[in-house]
Amino acid sequence: MEAIPHPAPRTVDEVFNDFKGRRAGLIKALTSDVEKFYQQCDPEKENLCLYGLPNETWEVNLPVEEVPPELPEPALGINFARNGMQEKDWLSLVAVHSDSWLLSVSFYFGARFGFGKSERKRLFQMINDFPTIFEIVTGAAKQAKEQTPAHNNSSKNKSSGRMQPRLPDSQPKSVKMSAPKDEDESGEEEDEDEQGATLCGACGDSYASDEFWICCDICEKWFHGKCVKITPAKAEHIKHYKCPSCSSKRARV
């Protein structure tokens, strides 16, 4: 049960610092202080929550009695699942809920103090530069750092059904990531660049670095996710993607 001992953060930087402090406390609870955290989550006790505090500490406590609470509340009853799961799975579950809680607290402050679109976007980008607590607890963050940029084989991109647009090394070889041409450059060079560009098989537009694309495993054409109604989350569960055209051809056969 948390009380705010200092004024609530009112600017993007203050909210971000609050986020970092709470995040650091939660990471301690689930990593370096994990034995202490495990012991405090006694299933025989009442509903317990894990709180990260702005001063980089943590506590396991009962939820606040005030309704509605001063701040969004963490997941309730984390102690009840402790003995019914493998420890690593339980910690991963708590980590996921902790990530969700951190975001809810940060954007609660943003809503409370009237952050505009640009401020919310900046806050999310600052938060998104950090690995999630779940990634740290499960080791996914460490594995990502250890991976080399050698994974640029286009066949691997196709088999996964996804293209990571923000990493140039993961692009298919046909995609050119060249900077925009200066006005005084020759038209001949522009024609060459256009010929080598990857175009969406649905709308015909060229690749943009901030867009999600997906490759058809049948015709090997690339498509904007929005054009074929595939989101990055949905692509995670697709082993072999078939575009609408290939799907309709197979249906007629």
Side-chain angles (χ1 to χ4, degrees), residues 110-173:
R112 179 178 175 183
F113 297 113
F115 286 6
K117 180 178 179 180
S118 60
E119 292 170 312
R120 294 193 303 270
K121 182 177 181 180
R122 178 170 171 247
L123 176 60
F124 180 78
Q125 288 174 336
M126 294 167 73
I127 291 174
N128 201 42
D129 284 338
F130 283 78
T132 64
I133 298 175
F134 174 79
E135 289 171 335
I136 291 175
V137 170
T138 59
K142 183 178 180 181
Q143 292 174 7
K145 286 184 178 180
E146 291 176 350
Q147 287 180 351
T148 64
H151 301 289
N152 61 347
N153 190 304
S154 60
S155 63
K156 291 183 180 179
N157 286 331
K158 292 169 185 174
S159 63
S160 67
R162 296 181 294 124
M163 179 166 74
Q164 302 296 335
R166 294 188 182 277
L167 299 177
D169 285 336
S170 67
Q171 303 306 326
K173 293 179 180 178

Short mmCIF file of all heavy atoms in Angstrom, two decimals, residues 110-173:
data_model
loop_
_atom_site.label_atom_id
_atom_site.label_comp_id
_atom_site.label_asym_id
_atom_site.label_seq_id
_atom_site.Cartn_x
_atom_site.Cartn_y
_atom_site.Cartn_z
N GLY A 110 0.35 11.15 -17.06
CA GLY A 110 0.22 11.91 -18.29
C GLY A 110 -1.19 12.42 -18.50
O GLY A 110 -1.41 13.56 -18.91
N ALA A 111 -2.18 11.56 -18.22
CA ALA A 111 -3.58 11.97 -18.37
C ALA A 111 -3.96 12.99 -17.31
O ALA A 111 -4.66 13.97 -17.59
CB ALA A 111 -4.49 10.74 -18.28
N ARG A 112 -3.48 12.75 -16.11
CA ARG A 112 -3.84 13.65 -15.00
C ARG A 112 -3.34 15.07 -15.23
O ARG A 112 -4.02 16.04 -14.88
CB ARG A 112 -3.26 13.08 -13.70
CG ARG A 112 -3.54 13.92 -12.46
CD ARG A 112 -2.98 13.26 -11.23
NE ARG A 112 -3.13 14.09 -10.04
CZ ARG A 112 -2.67 13.76 -8.84
NH1 ARG A 112 -2.04 12.60 -8.66
NH2 ARG A 112 -2.84 14.57 -7.82
N PHE A 113 -2.16 15.20 -15.81
CA PHE A 113 -1.57 16.52 -15.98
C PHE A 113 -1.63 17.01 -17.43
O PHE A 113 -0.90 17.90 -17.84
CB PHE A 113 -0.14 16.54 -15.45
CG PHE A 113 -0.09 16.27 -13.97
CD1 PHE A 113 0.48 15.11 -13.48
CD2 PHE A 113 -0.64 17.17 -13.07
CE1 PHE A 113 0.51 14.85 -12.12
CE2 PHE A 113 -0.60 16.93 -11.70
CZ PHE A 113 -0.03 15.76 -11.22
N GLY A 114 -2.49 16.40 -18.22
CA GLY A 114 -2.83 16.92 -19.53
C GLY A 114 -1.74 16.83 -20.57
O GLY A 114 -1.60 17.75 -21.39
N PHE A 115 -1.00 15.71 -20.63
CA PHE A 115 -0.01 15.56 -21.68
C PHE A 115 -0.69 15.51 -23.04
O PHE A 115 -1.70 14.82 -23.22
CB PHE A 115 0.79 14.26 -21.49
CG PHE A 115 1.79 14.32 -20.36
CD1 PHE A 115 1.86 15.41 -19.51
CD2 PHE A 115 2.67 13.27 -20.15
CE1 PHE A 115 2.78 15.47 -18.48
CE2 PHE A 115 3.60 13.31 -19.12
CZ PHE A 115 3.65 14.41 -18.27
N GLY A 116 -0.12 16.22 -23.99
CA GLY A 116 -0.63 16.18 -25.35
C GLY A 116 -0.06 15.00 -26.12
O GLY A 116 0.72 14.21 -25.60
N LYS A 117 -0.45 14.91 -27.39
CA LYS A 117 -0.02 13.79 -28.23
C LYS A 117 1.50 13.69 -28.31
O LYS A 117 2.07 12.60 -28.16
CB LYS A 117 -0.62 13.93 -29.62
CG LYS A 117 -0.23 12.81 -30.57
CD LYS A 117 -0.90 13.01 -31.93
CE LYS A 117 -0.48 11.91 -32.90
NZ LYS A 117 -1.12 12.10 -34.22
N SER A 118 2.17 14.81 -28.54
CA SER A 118 3.63 14.78 -28.68
C SER A 118 4.31 14.40 -27.37
O SER A 118 5.32 13.69 -27.36
CB SER A 118 4.14 16.15 -29.15
OG SER A 118 3.80 17.17 -28.22
N GLU A 119 3.74 14.86 -26.25
CA GLU A 119 4.33 14.51 -24.95
C GLU A 119 4.14 13.04 -24.64
O GLU A 119 5.05 12.38 -24.13
CB GLU A 119 3.68 15.37 -23.85
CG GLU A 119 4.03 16.85 -23.95
CD GLU A 119 3.20 17.70 -23.02
OE1 GLU A 119 1.96 17.52 -23.00
OE2 GLU A 119 3.77 18.53 -22.30
N ARG A 120 2.95 12.50 -24.94
CA ARG A 120 2.72 11.06 -24.71
C ARG A 120 3.63 10.22 -25.60
O ARG A 120 4.17 9.20 -25.16
CB ARG A 120 1.25 10.71 -24.99
CG ARG A 120 0.27 11.34 -24.02
CD ARG A 120 -1.11 10.70 -24.16
NE ARG A 120 -1.64 10.77 -25.50
CZ ARG A 120 -2.38 11.77 -25.96
NH1 ARG A 120 -2.66 12.80 -25.17
NH2 ARG A 120 -2.86 11.75 -27.20
N LYS A 121 3.81 10.66 -26.84
CA LYS A 121 4.68 9.92 -27.76
C LYS A 121 6.12 9.94 -27.26
O LYS A 121 6.81 8.90 -27.28
CB LYS A 121 4.59 10.54 -29.16
CG LYS A 121 5.44 9.81 -30.20
CD LYS A 121 5.24 10.43 -31.57
CE LYS A 121 6.07 9.69 -32.62
NZ LYS A 121 5.88 10.29 -33.97
N ARG A 122 6.57 11.09 -26.81
CA ARG A 122 7.94 11.20 -26.29
C ARG A 122 8.13 10.33 -25.05
O ARG A 122 9.15 9.64 -24.90
CB ARG A 122 8.25 12.66 -25.95
CG ARG A 122 9.64 12.86 -25.35
CD ARG A 122 10.00 14.33 -25.25
NE ARG A 122 11.22 14.50 -24.49
CZ ARG A 122 11.30 15.07 -23.30
NH1 ARG A 122 10.20 15.57 -22.74
NH2 ARG A 122 12.44 15.19 -22.68
N LEU A 123 7.14 10.34 -24.16
CA LEU A 123 7.23 9.52 -22.95
C LEU A 123 7.31 8.04 -23.30
O LEU A 123 8.16 7.31 -22.77
CB LEU A 123 6.00 9.77 -22.06
CG LEU A 123 5.89 8.91 -20.80
CD1 LEU A 123 7.10 9.12 -19.89
CD2 LEU A 123 4.59 9.22 -20.06
N PHE A 124 6.48 7.59 -24.24
CA PHE A 124 6.50 6.18 -24.62
C PHE A 124 7.83 5.81 -25.27
O PHE A 124 8.38 4.73 -25.01
CB PHE A 124 5.35 5.86 -25.57
CG PHE A 124 5.32 4.40 -25.98
CD1 PHE A 124 4.83 3.44 -25.13
CD2 PHE A 124 5.82 4.01 -27.21
CE1 PHE A 124 4.83 2.10 -25.49
CE2 PHE A 124 5.83 2.68 -27.58
CZ PHE A 124 5.32 1.72 -26.72
N GLN A 125 8.36 6.69 -26.12
CA GLN A 125 9.63 6.39 -26.77
C GLN A 125 10.76 6.28 -25.75
O GLN A 125 11.63 5.41 -25.88
CB GLN A 125 9.95 7.49 -27.79
CG GLN A 125 9.07 7.44 -29.04
CD GLN A 125 9.30 8.60 -29.97
OE1 GLN A 125 9.76 9.67 -29.57
NE2 GLN A 125 8.97 8.42 -31.25
N MET A 126 10.75 7.13 -24.74
CA MET A 126 11.77 7.06 -23.68
C MET A 126 11.64 5.75 -22.91
O MET A 126 12.64 5.08 -22.62
CB MET A 126 11.62 8.26 -22.73
CG MET A 126 11.93 9.60 -23.40
SD MET A 126 11.41 11.03 -22.41
CE MET A 126 12.63 11.01 -21.11
N ILE A 127 10.40 5.37 -22.60
CA ILE A 127 10.17 4.11 -21.87
C ILE A 127 10.55 2.92 -22.74
O ILE A 127 11.16 1.95 -22.27
CB ILE A 127 8.69 4.02 -21.45
CG1 ILE A 127 8.38 5.05 -20.36
CG2 ILE A 127 8.35 2.62 -20.96
CD1 ILE A 127 6.92 5.13 -19.98
N ASN A 128 10.23 2.99 -24.02
CA ASN A 128 10.45 1.86 -24.92
C ASN A 128 11.92 1.60 -25.21
O ASN A 128 12.28 0.54 -25.71
CB ASN A 128 9.70 2.11 -26.23
CG ASN A 128 9.44 0.84 -27.00
OD1 ASN A 128 9.08 -0.18 -26.42
ND2 ASN A 128 9.60 0.89 -28.30
N ASP A 129 12.79 2.57 -24.89
CA ASP A 129 14.22 2.36 -25.08
C ASP A 129 14.80 1.40 -24.04
O ASP A 129 15.90 0.90 -24.20
CB ASP A 129 14.97 3.70 -24.99
CG ASP A 129 14.80 4.53 -26.26
OD1 ASP A 129 14.49 3.94 -27.31
OD2 ASP A 129 14.98 5.76 -26.19
N PHE A 130 14.04 1.14 -22.96
CA PHE A 130 14.49 0.22 -21.93
C PHE A 130 13.91 -1.17 -22.18
O PHE A 130 12.78 -1.29 -22.64
CB PHE A 130 14.01 0.69 -20.55
CG PHE A 130 14.80 1.83 -19.96
CD1 PHE A 130 14.61 3.12 -20.38
CD2 PHE A 130 15.75 1.58 -18.98
CE1 PHE A 130 15.33 4.18 -19.85
CE2 PHE A 130 16.49 2.62 -18.44
CZ PHE A 130 16.28 3.92 -18.86
N PRO A 131 14.66 -2.22 -21.89
CA PRO A 131 14.05 -3.56 -21.96
C PRO A 131 12.98 -3.69 -20.89
O PRO A 131 13.05 -3.05 -19.84
CB PRO A 131 15.24 -4.51 -21.69
CG PRO A 131 16.24 -3.67 -20.97
CD PRO A 131 16.08 -2.27 -21.49
N THR A 132 11.99 -4.51 -21.15
CA THR A 132 10.94 -4.72 -20.16
C THR A 132 11.47 -5.54 -18.98
O THR A 132 12.50 -6.22 -19.09
CB THR A 132 9.74 -5.45 -20.77
OG1 THR A 132 10.18 -6.77 -21.18
CG2 THR A 132 9.20 -4.70 -21.97
N ILE A 133 10.75 -5.49 -17.88
CA ILE A 133 11.13 -6.31 -16.72
C ILE A 133 11.04 -7.78 -17.09
O ILE A 133 11.89 -8.59 -16.70
CB ILE A 133 10.21 -5.99 -15.53
CG1 ILE A 133 10.37 -4.52 -15.11
CG2 ILE A 133 10.53 -6.89 -14.34
CD1 ILE A 133 9.44 -4.08 -14.02
N PHE A 134 10.03 -8.14 -17.87
CA PHE A 134 9.89 -9.52 -18.32
C PHE A 134 11.12 -9.97 -19.10
O PHE A 134 11.62 -11.08 -18.91
CB PHE A 134 8.63 -9.65 -19.18
CG PHE A 134 8.46 -11.01 -19.80
CD1 PHE A 134 7.96 -12.07 -19.06
CD2 PHE A 134 8.81 -11.24 -21.13
CE1 PHE A 134 7.81 -13.34 -19.63
CE2 PHE A 134 8.66 -12.49 -21.70
CZ PHE A 134 8.16 -13.54 -20.94
N GLU A 135 11.61 -9.13 -20.00
CA GLU A 135 12.79 -9.47 -20.79
C GLU A 135 14.02 -9.65 -19.90
O GLU A 135 14.87 -10.51 -20.17
CB GLU A 135 13.04 -8.39 -21.84
CG GLU A 135 12.01 -8.38 -22.95
CD GLU A 135 12.13 -7.17 -23.86
OE1 GLU A 135 12.66 -6.12 -23.42
OE2 GLU A 135 11.69 -7.25 -25.01
N ILE A 136 14.12 -8.86 -18.85
CA ILE A 136 15.27 -8.98 -17.94
C ILE A 136 15.16 -10.24 -17.10
O ILE A 136 16.12 -11.00 -16.96
CB ILE A 136 15.35 -7.73 -17.04
CG1 ILE A 136 15.75 -6.51 -17.87
CG2 ILE A 136 16.36 -7.95 -15.90
CD1 ILE A 136 15.75 -5.21 -17.10
N VAL A 137 13.97 -10.52 -16.57
CA VAL A 137 13.77 -11.68 -15.70
C VAL A 137 13.96 -12.98 -16.47
O VAL A 137 14.54 -13.95 -15.96
CB VAL A 137 12.38 -11.63 -15.05
CG1 VAL A 137 12.04 -12.94 -14.34
CG2 VAL A 137 12.31 -10.48 -14.05
N THR A 138 13.49 -13.03 -17.71
CA THR A 138 13.59 -14.25 -18.50
C THR A 138 14.92 -14.39 -19.24
O THR A 138 15.21 -15.43 -19.82
CB THR A 138 12.45 -14.32 -19.53
OG1 THR A 138 12.54 -13.18 -20.41
CG2 THR A 138 11.10 -14.32 -18.84
N GLY A 139 15.74 -13.33 -19.24
CA GLY A 139 17.02 -13.37 -19.94
C GLY A 139 16.93 -12.97 -21.39
O GLY A 139 17.93 -12.98 -22.10
N ALA A 140 15.73 -12.59 -21.86
CA ALA A 140 15.57 -12.22 -23.26
C ALA A 140 16.36 -10.96 -23.60
O ALA A 140 16.88 -10.83 -24.71
CB ALA A 140 14.10 -12.00 -23.59
N ALA A 141 16.47 -10.03 -22.66
CA ALA A 141 17.21 -8.79 -22.92
C ALA A 141 18.69 -9.08 -23.14
O ALA A 141 19.34 -8.50 -24.01
CB ALA A 141 17.03 -7.83 -21.75
N LYS A 142 19.24 -10.00 -22.34
CA LYS A 142 20.65 -10.36 -22.48
C LYS A 142 20.91 -11.05 -23.80
O LYS A 142 21.90 -10.80 -24.49
CB LYS A 142 21.07 -11.25 -21.32
CG LYS A 142 22.55 -11.63 -21.33
CD LYS A 142 22.90 -12.48 -20.12
CE LYS A 142 24.39 -12.85 -20.13
NZ LYS A 142 24.74 -13.70 -18.97
N GLN A 143 19.99 -11.94 -24.19
CA GLN A 143 20.14 -12.65 -25.46
C GLN A 143 20.11 -11.68 -26.63
O GLN A 143 20.84 -11.84 -27.60
CB GLN A 143 19.03 -13.68 -25.60
CG GLN A 143 19.13 -14.82 -24.59
CD GLN A 143 17.94 -15.76 -24.66
OE1 GLN A 143 17.10 -15.64 -25.53
NE2 GLN A 143 17.86 -16.67 -23.71
N ALA A 144 19.25 -10.67 -26.54
CA ALA A 144 19.15 -9.70 -27.63
C ALA A 144 20.45 -8.93 -27.81
O ALA A 144 20.87 -8.62 -28.92
CB ALA A 144 18.00 -8.73 -27.36
N LYS A 145 21.13 -8.61 -26.69
CA LYS A 145 22.39 -7.90 -26.77
C LYS A 145 23.49 -8.75 -27.38
O LYS A 145 24.38 -8.28 -28.07
CB LYS A 145 22.83 -7.44 -25.37
CG LYS A 145 22.03 -6.28 -24.82
CD LYS A 145 22.57 -5.83 -23.48
CE LYS A 145 21.81 -4.64 -22.94
NZ LYS A 145 22.33 -4.19 -21.64
N GLU A 146 23.42 -10.06 -27.08
CA GLU A 146 24.47 -10.96 -27.55
C GLU A 146 24.32 -11.32 -29.02
O GLU A 146 25.26 -11.79 -29.65
CB GLU A 146 24.46 -12.24 -26.70
CG GLU A 146 24.90 -12.00 -25.25
CD GLU A 146 24.78 -13.25 -24.41
OE1 GLU A 146 24.18 -14.23 -24.90
OE2 GLU A 146 25.28 -13.25 -23.27
N GLN A 147 23.14 -11.14 -29.58
CA GLN A 147 22.92 -11.47 -30.98
C GLN A 147 23.70 -10.53 -31.88
O GLN A 147 23.73 -9.32 -31.66
CB GLN A 147 21.43 -11.39 -31.32
CG GLN A 147 20.63 -12.54 -30.74
CD GLN A 147 19.16 -12.42 -31.09
OE1 GLN A 147 18.74 -11.40 -31.62
NE2 GLN A 147 18.39 -13.45 -30.81
N THR A 148 24.33 -11.05 -32.88
CA THR A 148 25.10 -10.24 -33.82
C THR A 148 24.20 -9.77 -34.94
O THR A 148 23.15 -10.35 -35.19
CB THR A 148 26.26 -11.07 -34.41
OG1 THR A 148 25.70 -12.14 -35.17
CG2 THR A 148 27.14 -11.61 -33.30
N PRO A 149 24.62 -8.73 -35.68
CA PRO A 149 23.80 -8.25 -36.79
C PRO A 149 23.93 -9.11 -38.03
O PRO A 149 23.60 -8.66 -39.12
CB PRO A 149 24.37 -6.85 -37.05
CG PRO A 149 25.79 -6.93 -36.61
CD PRO A 149 25.78 -7.86 -35.43
N ALA A 150 24.41 -10.34 -37.88
CA ALA A 150 24.62 -11.19 -39.04
C ALA A 150 23.34 -11.82 -39.55
O ALA A 150 23.32 -12.45 -40.59
CB ALA A 150 25.62 -12.30 -38.70
N HIS A 151 22.24 -11.65 -38.80
CA HIS A 151 20.99 -12.28 -39.20
C HIS A 151 20.29 -11.44 -40.25
O HIS A 151 19.24 -10.87 -40.03
CB HIS A 151 20.08 -12.45 -37.97
CG HIS A 151 20.70 -13.29 -36.90
ND1 HIS A 151 20.88 -14.64 -37.02
CD2 HIS A 151 21.18 -12.96 -35.67
CE1 HIS A 151 21.44 -15.11 -35.92
NE2 HIS A 151 21.64 -14.11 -35.09
N ASN A 152 20.91 -11.35 -41.42
CA ASN A 152 20.33 -10.54 -42.49
C ASN A 152 19.94 -11.39 -43.69
O ASN A 152 19.78 -10.89 -44.78
CB ASN A 152 21.30 -9.45 -42.92
CG ASN A 152 22.61 -10.03 -43.45
OD1 ASN A 152 22.87 -11.22 -43.27
ND2 ASN A 152 23.42 -9.20 -44.08
N ASN A 153 19.82 -12.70 -43.49
CA ASN A 153 19.45 -13.59 -44.58
C ASN A 153 17.98 -13.43 -44.89
O ASN A 153 17.14 -13.60 -44.03
CB ASN A 153 19.77 -15.05 -44.18
CG ASN A 153 19.64 -15.98 -45.36
OD1 ASN A 153 18.59 -16.03 -45.99
ND2 ASN A 153 20.70 -16.71 -45.65
N SER A 154 17.65 -13.11 -46.13
CA SER A 154 16.25 -12.84 -46.46
C SER A 154 15.39 -14.08 -46.32
O SER A 154 14.20 -13.99 -46.05
CB SER A 154 16.15 -12.30 -47.89
OG SER A 154 16.66 -13.25 -48.82
N SER A 155 15.98 -15.29 -46.51
CA SER A 155 15.19 -16.50 -46.39
C SER A 155 14.71 -16.70 -44.97
O SER A 155 13.63 -17.21 -44.72
CB SER A 155 16.00 -17.72 -46.84
OG SER A 155 17.13 -17.89 -45.99
N LYS A 156 15.52 -16.26 -43.99
CA LYS A 156 15.10 -16.36 -42.60
C LYS A 156 13.94 -15.42 -42.33
O LYS A 156 13.03 -15.73 -41.59
CB LYS A 156 16.27 -16.05 -41.66
CG LYS A 156 17.36 -17.11 -41.69
CD LYS A 156 18.45 -16.77 -40.68
CE LYS A 156 19.55 -17.83 -40.69
NZ LYS A 156 20.61 -17.52 -39.73
N ASN A 157 13.98 -14.25 -42.95
CA ASN A 157 12.87 -13.31 -42.77
C ASN A 157 11.59 -13.89 -43.33
O ASN A 157 10.52 -13.75 -42.74
CB ASN A 157 13.18 -11.99 -43.48
CG ASN A 157 14.20 -11.16 -42.73
OD1 ASN A 157 14.30 -11.25 -41.51
ND2 ASN A 157 14.98 -10.38 -43.46
N LYS A 158 11.69 -14.54 -44.47
CA LYS A 158 10.51 -15.09 -45.11
C LYS A 158 9.93 -16.23 -44.29
O LYS A 158 8.72 -16.36 -44.14
CB LYS A 158 10.84 -15.56 -46.51
CG LYS A 158 11.18 -14.41 -47.45
CD LYS A 158 11.76 -14.94 -48.75
CE LYS A 158 12.23 -13.79 -49.65
NZ LYS A 158 12.92 -14.28 -50.83
N SER A 159 10.79 -17.11 -43.76
CA SER A 159 10.29 -18.24 -43.00
C SER A 159 9.62 -17.81 -41.72
O SER A 159 8.73 -18.47 -41.21
CB SER A 159 11.44 -19.21 -42.68
OG SER A 159 12.40 -18.58 -41.85
N SER A 160 10.03 -16.68 -41.17
CA SER A 160 9.40 -16.21 -39.94
C SER A 160 8.11 -15.46 -40.23
O SER A 160 7.33 -15.20 -39.31
CB SER A 160 10.35 -15.28 -39.17
OG SER A 160 10.56 -14.09 -39.89
N GLY A 161 7.87 -15.11 -41.48
CA GLY A 161 6.65 -14.40 -41.84
C GLY A 161 6.66 -12.95 -41.43
O GLY A 161 5.63 -12.30 -41.45
N ARG A 162 7.83 -12.41 -41.00
CA ARG A 162 7.87 -11.04 -40.51
C ARG A 162 9.10 -10.34 -41.03
O ARG A 162 10.09 -10.96 -41.38
CB ARG A 162 7.92 -11.01 -38.98
CG ARG A 162 6.69 -11.58 -38.32
CD ARG A 162 6.81 -11.48 -36.81
NE ARG A 162 7.88 -12.34 -36.31
CZ ARG A 162 8.89 -11.91 -35.58
NH1 ARG A 162 9.02 -10.65 -35.29
NH2 ARG A 162 9.82 -12.74 -35.15
N MET A 163 9.04 -9.02 -41.09
CA MET A 163 10.21 -8.23 -41.37
C MET A 163 10.33 -7.17 -40.30
O MET A 163 9.36 -6.49 -39.98
CB MET A 163 10.11 -7.55 -42.74
CG MET A 163 11.32 -6.70 -43.05
SD MET A 163 11.43 -6.22 -44.76
CE MET A 163 10.17 -4.99 -44.86
N GLN A 164 11.50 -7.05 -39.68
CA GLN A 164 11.70 -6.05 -38.65
C GLN A 164 12.13 -4.75 -39.31
O GLN A 164 13.29 -4.60 -39.71
CB GLN A 164 12.79 -6.51 -37.66
CG GLN A 164 12.46 -7.84 -37.00
CD GLN A 164 11.22 -7.74 -36.12
OE1 GLN A 164 10.90 -6.66 -35.65
NE2 GLN A 164 10.54 -8.85 -35.91
N PRO A 165 11.24 -3.79 -39.46
CA PRO A 165 11.54 -2.63 -40.29
C PRO A 165 12.56 -1.68 -39.71
O PRO A 165 13.13 -0.90 -40.43
CB PRO A 165 10.18 -1.94 -40.39
CG PRO A 165 9.42 -2.39 -39.19
CD PRO A 165 9.88 -3.79 -38.94
N ARG A 166 12.82 -1.69 -38.40
CA ARG A 166 13.72 -0.71 -37.80
C ARG A 166 15.17 -1.18 -37.79
O ARG A 166 16.03 -0.46 -37.36
CB ARG A 166 13.27 -0.39 -36.37
CG ARG A 166 11.93 0.31 -36.35
CD ARG A 166 11.60 0.80 -34.97
NE ARG A 166 10.29 1.42 -34.94
CZ ARG A 166 10.04 2.68 -35.27
NH1 ARG A 166 11.01 3.46 -35.66
NH2 ARG A 166 8.82 3.18 -35.22
N LEU A 167 15.43 -2.41 -38.22
CA LEU A 167 16.79 -2.91 -38.23
C LEU A 167 17.23 -3.13 -39.67
O LEU A 167 16.84 -4.11 -40.29
CB LEU A 167 16.89 -4.24 -37.45
CG LEU A 167 16.50 -4.14 -35.97
CD1 LEU A 167 16.57 -5.51 -35.33
CD2 LEU A 167 17.44 -3.18 -35.23
N PRO A 168 18.03 -2.25 -40.23
CA PRO A 168 18.41 -2.39 -41.64
C PRO A 168 19.02 -3.73 -41.98
O PRO A 168 18.84 -4.24 -43.06
CB PRO A 168 19.43 -1.25 -41.83
CG PRO A 168 19.06 -0.24 -40.81
CD PRO A 168 18.57 -1.03 -39.62
N ASP A 169 19.77 -4.34 -41.02
CA ASP A 169 20.42 -5.61 -41.31
C ASP A 169 19.43 -6.74 -41.50
O ASP A 169 19.77 -7.79 -42.03
CB ASP A 169 21.39 -5.98 -40.18
CG ASP A 169 22.65 -5.13 -40.24
OD1 ASP A 169 22.98 -4.64 -41.33
OD2 ASP A 169 23.28 -4.98 -39.21
N SER A 170 18.20 -6.56 -41.01
CA SER A 170 17.22 -7.63 -41.14
C SER A 170 16.34 -7.47 -42.38
O SER A 170 15.41 -8.21 -42.57
CB SER A 170 16.33 -7.68 -39.89
OG SER A 170 15.52 -6.52 -39.82
N GLN A 171 16.63 -6.48 -43.22
CA GLN A 171 15.81 -6.25 -44.39
C GLN A 171 16.18 -7.25 -45.49
O GLN A 171 17.29 -7.74 -45.58
CB GLN A 171 16.04 -4.82 -44.93
CG GLN A 171 15.76 -3.74 -43.92
CD GLN A 171 14.37 -3.88 -43.33
OE1 GLN A 171 13.47 -4.29 -44.03
NE2 GLN A 171 14.22 -3.56 -42.07
N PRO A 172 15.21 -7.57 -46.38
CA PRO A 172 15.55 -8.39 -47.54
C PRO A 172 16.56 -7.66 -48.41
O PRO A 172 16.61 -6.44 -48.42
CB PRO A 172 14.21 -8.55 -48.26
CG PRO A 172 13.40 -7.38 -47.81
CD PRO A 172 13.83 -7.12 -46.39
N LYS A 173 17.37 -8.42 -49.14
CA LYS A 173 18.46 -7.81 -49.90
C LYS A 173 17.95 -6.86 -50.97
O LYS A 173 18.66 -5.98 -51.40
CB LYS A 173 19.30 -8.92 -50.54
CG LYS A 173 20.05 -9.75 -49.50
CD LYS A 173 20.86 -10.84 -50.14
CE LYS A 173 21.60 -11.67 -49.11
NZ LYS A 173 22.35 -12.76 -49.69
#
